[in-house]
Amino acid sequence: MRWRRCFELRRFRQASWDEPLIKELSRPGRVGNLIPTDSKIRSKYKDPAALIPASVRRDSVNLPELSELQVLRHYNRLSQMNFSVELGMYPLGSCTMKYNPKVSETIAGSDGMKYAHPLQPPETVQGLLSIFYELERALSEVTGMSRFSLSTSAGAQGELAGVLMIRKYLRDHGESGRDEILVPDSAHGTNPASAAMAGFRVVKVPSDENGQVRAKVVEALCTDKTAGMMFTVPNTLGLFESEVAEVSAAVHSAGGLMYYDGANMNALLGRARPGDMGFDVVHLNLHKTFATPHGGGGPGAGPVGVSRKLADYLPVPVVTKGKKGFALDYDLKHSIGPLKGFVGNSAILLRAYVYIRLLGATGLADVSSLAVLAANYLWKSLDPEAFVASHGNELLRKHEAVVSVKSELPGAALSVAKAVLDYGMHAPTVYFPLIVHEALMLEPTESEPVEVLDEYAAALNEIYRKMKGGALGDVPRNTSVGRVDEVKASHPMTLRVHW
Ligand SMILES: *Cc1c(COP(=O)(O)O)cnc(C)c1O
């Protein structure tokens, strides 16, 4: 198979932790640059350091001294120790690791973008501001919201902005006694964390045996203390919530507001809108659904959108269009204030804009169809004896599939996840959602051709057979780092510091 060949090639010179550190390669006086040999220049710049005023000059910056080729090899080797969607399938559920088109990278790297400064007068960055304005309109259209603020730079920060807006709105309307937020037990961990950070008490909503939140259950949990509910649709089991409209109605009639966790909009894009399901606040993860790079800690963008009645509560700045053109408005009447400098991670916003404009409305709808098809195809290709659907109704399964590994072995899901790395593919998300035993969460996204989905399913099925026969061994073997000690990896932290 293709991946076998690819991995044999990689093993030929596999980067590993045994490589010397760049610091260890250093030799005093070795340089990676040349001062021109022309005699006139030479005599003028005999001591280039002398050109820097003595008061700001450092005697030693203690940087490694290497040749240009050594530096090149060092960084290329580091890049080989990584995995990325550009090397293989990356079905890390809930993370939507889709392909990031290269054209967006080119545009984000253009001079106009690279050299723009956040403190530039607005009249000199009208082009960029107009793009942010149009992006804001597009996101409002996609979600059925009235207005967006783009600045929040992650899903979690968008959530915090959202619940802070709910809190301020309720206080302004004489409802400051409402201090509880409902959060389903299938929710992403950031939901209860954001609610708690905003000063709310978190009330857990149990899902039923089909992985669904029932309106009756929500209704029974609503009281005059209910500030709102954070809801993820489709939920983290990859299932559409069939009673979402009834749940919204129940929370609204109890006086609360509805928050939509739209980190994973891939299933609804161009097909259905949270605004039409009764949500008042949403956040989107541009670094997931809208094809901007993520992994390794950012940068991201988690814009937050609201219905009309909350429009003045958005974090500032928001982009406005007036007689004098486009501008950043810091004077929203009830704003919760700024959460991030300027307009946020502008290059990420630009990439999302390019993605939306490339695809258009019908293209976005095709994305969601393909993402849902790929997840369902992958799930159907798995051995049903080995990987059991965690919950529910097939018709509700959307952009990702959560399965439970059928095994008595402790840590079976972890073993499968480690073994798949040897096939040159990324592991699924494991042990999430928490309500699923030995969970694997697979999200292939719309990017993968069917042959790759077939290879992935074949790999998982083969791994399961090996595991059952006791022949899995100590996996992974082909990666730069083998099986790590999960406990030791986080505690105690022992850093290999060499200077
Ligand atoms: C990723 C994710 C988040 C958090 O987004 P970050 O950008 O990582 O902060 C929240 N909810 C769901 C469902 C997610 O998948």
Side-chain angles (χ1 to χ4, degrees):
M1 266 190 188
R2 200 169 46 80
W3 40 259
R4 284 207 206 284
R5 196 161 46 87
C6 134
F7 255 71
E8 271 155 24
L9 285 175
R10 276 191 78 191
R11 239 183 303 173
F12 172 66
R13 184 72 176 87
Q14 185 67 57
S16 82
W17 289 118
D18 301 332
E19 300 289 342
L21 295 176
I22 192 164
K23 192 77 189 167
E24 293 163 353
L25 295 172
S26 175
R27 294 290 175 274
R30 189 172 285 171
V31 286
N33 61 359
L34 281 177
I35 303 292
T37 50
D38 177 282
S39 60
K40 255 204 291 196
I41 300 177
R42 255 255 141 99
S43 63
K44 195 165 164 206
Y45 299 123
K46 200 173 269 163
D47 179 13
L51 295 171
I52 303 169
S55 59
V56 294
R57 208 185 309 150
R58 271 194 277 170
D59 288 337
S60 164
V61 283
N62 202 19
L63 290 173
E65 296 175 73
L66 301 158
S67 73
E68 182 174 311
L69 179 57
Q70 282 181 299
V71 174
L72 196 64
R73 284 183 182 154
H74 171 73
Y75 283 107
N76 273 317
R77 197 160 287 147
L78 282 184
S79 78
Q80 289 175 358
M81 294 169 81
N82 265 332
F83 188 87
S84 77
V85 76
E86 293 177 18
L87 277 174
M89 181 158 147
Y90 204 142
L92 191 66
S94 210
C95 292
T96 319
M97 303 301 284
K98 61 171 69 181
Y99 173 61
N100 305 151
K102 288 292 160 242
V103 60
S104 328
E105 296 302 314
T106 309
I107 295 174
S110 63
D111 284 356
M113 190 64 198
K114 261 192 326 225
Y115 300 123
H117 192 280
L119 289 175
Q120 249 174 271
E123 59 274 20
T124 66
V125 278
Q126 284 296 301
L128 202 50
L129 289 174
S130 76
I131 282 173
F132 295 149
Y133 184 82
E134 282 185 33
L135 175 64
E136 198 251 283
R137 294 320 312 147
L139 298 179
S140 300
E141 180 61 32
V142 164
T143 54
M145 289 288 127
S146 169
R147 204 166 184 197
F148 263 81
S149 169
L150 303 172
S151 64
T152 33
S153 61
Q157 203 183 22
E159 288 174 29
L160 180 64
V163 284
L164 287 174
M165 282 190 275
I166 291 176
R167 188 175 76 164
K168 191 150 194 274
Y169 178 86
L170 291 173
R171 284 188 179 176
D172 286 355
H173 290 79
E175 298 276 359
S176 49
R178 294 184 177 269
D179 62 357
E180 290 180 357
I181 293 261
L182 308 187
V183 181
D185 57 3
S186 59
H188 194 270
T190 48
N191 288 191
S194 304
M197 271 182 80
F200 289 109
R201 216 169 62 77
V202 177
V203 178
K204 185 154 102 176
V205 183
S207 324
D208 75 359
E209 65 284 2
N210 293 316
Q212 298 280 293
V213 169
R214 294 295 169 203
K216 273 210 307 278
V217 174
V218 170
E219 213 176 291
L221 290 170
C222 282
T223 66
D224 59 0
K225 292 262 175 210
T226 304
M229 174 166 172
M230 300 181 85
F231 205 14
T232 311
V233 186
N235 60 31
T236 63
L237 297 161
L239 302 173
F240 190 80
E241 290 280 3
S242 53
E243 291 188 10
V244 57
E246 291 83 352
V247 167
S248 288
V251 172
H252 283 149
S253 70
L257 296 171
M258 286 297 288
Y259 183 94
Y260 179 78
D261 179 336
N264 312 126
M265 260 295 276
N266 230 25
L268 298 195
L269 218 49
R271 306 249 158 223
R273 311 191 311 167
D276 301 332
M277 300 173 195
F279 287 94
D280 305 287
V281 188
V282 316
H283 89 263
L284 296 172
N285 277 21
L286 302 188
H287 47 288
K288 292 179 182 172
T289 311
F290 293 90
T292 67
H294 85 292
V304 60
V306 287
S307 61
R308 194 170 306 276
K309 68 179 179 198
L310 286 155
D312 285 347
Y313 287 80
L314 283 169
V316 286
V318 289
V319 190
T320 55
K321 183 182 179 182
K323 281 206 190 74
K324 286 199 208 141
F326 299 96
L328 293 181
D329 179 5
Y330 285 87
D331 293 324
L332 273 189
K333 195 155 162 227
H334 301 291
S335 173
I336 55 165
L339 285 176
K340 165 95 182 149
F342 307 103
V343 78
N345 284 325
S346 51
I348 297 293
L349 300 174
L350 176 61
R351 287 178 176 96
Y353 175 79
V354 174
Y355 185 72
I356 292 170
R357 290 301 301 264
L358 276 176
L359 289 166
T362 52
L364 289 181
D366 289 344
V367 164
S368 57
S369 307
L370 283 171
V372 171
L373 179 63
N376 279 272
Y377 180 87
L378 180 59
W379 172 64
K380 285 274 186 187
S381 310
L382 295 177
D383 176 355
E385 298 289 313
F387 304 102
V388 187
S390 71
H391 287 85
N393 183 339
E394 288 185 28
L395 293 176
L396 298 175
R397 181 158 290 105
K398 297 295 173 201
H399 64 296
E400 60 194 358
V402 178
V403 295
S404 187
V405 183
K406 213 168 161 196
S407 170
E408 299 298 311
L409 292 173
L414 186 65
S415 293
V416 172
K418 294 294 181 189
V420 79
L421 304 178
D422 278 341
Y423 291 75
M425 297 155 166
H426 200 280
T429 295
V430 290
Y431 300 104
F432 177 69
L434 301 174
I435 52 176
V436 178
H437 182 67
E438 294 294 333
L440 295 182
M441 186 188 214
L442 298 138
E443 186 185 11
T445 80
E446 71 281 8
S447 305
E448 298 299 341
V450 67
E451 310 86 79
V452 178
L453 299 175
D454 287 338
E455 278 181 17
Y456 200 88
L460 287 194
N461 293 336
E462 185 177 280
I463 289 166
Y464 185 81
R465 281 195 301 277
K466 282 192 201 161
M467 187 169 76
K468 215 168 159 206
L472 201 54
D474 191 20
V475 286
R477 294 183 196 87
N478 294 341
T479 48
S480 308
V481 181
R483 187 73 167 253
V484 291
D485 181 329
E486 302 275 324
V487 179
K488 218 170 164 188
S490 62
H491 182 85
M493 284 282 276
T494 314
L495 294 175
R496 193 175 157 201
V497 181
H498 276 245
W499 61 87

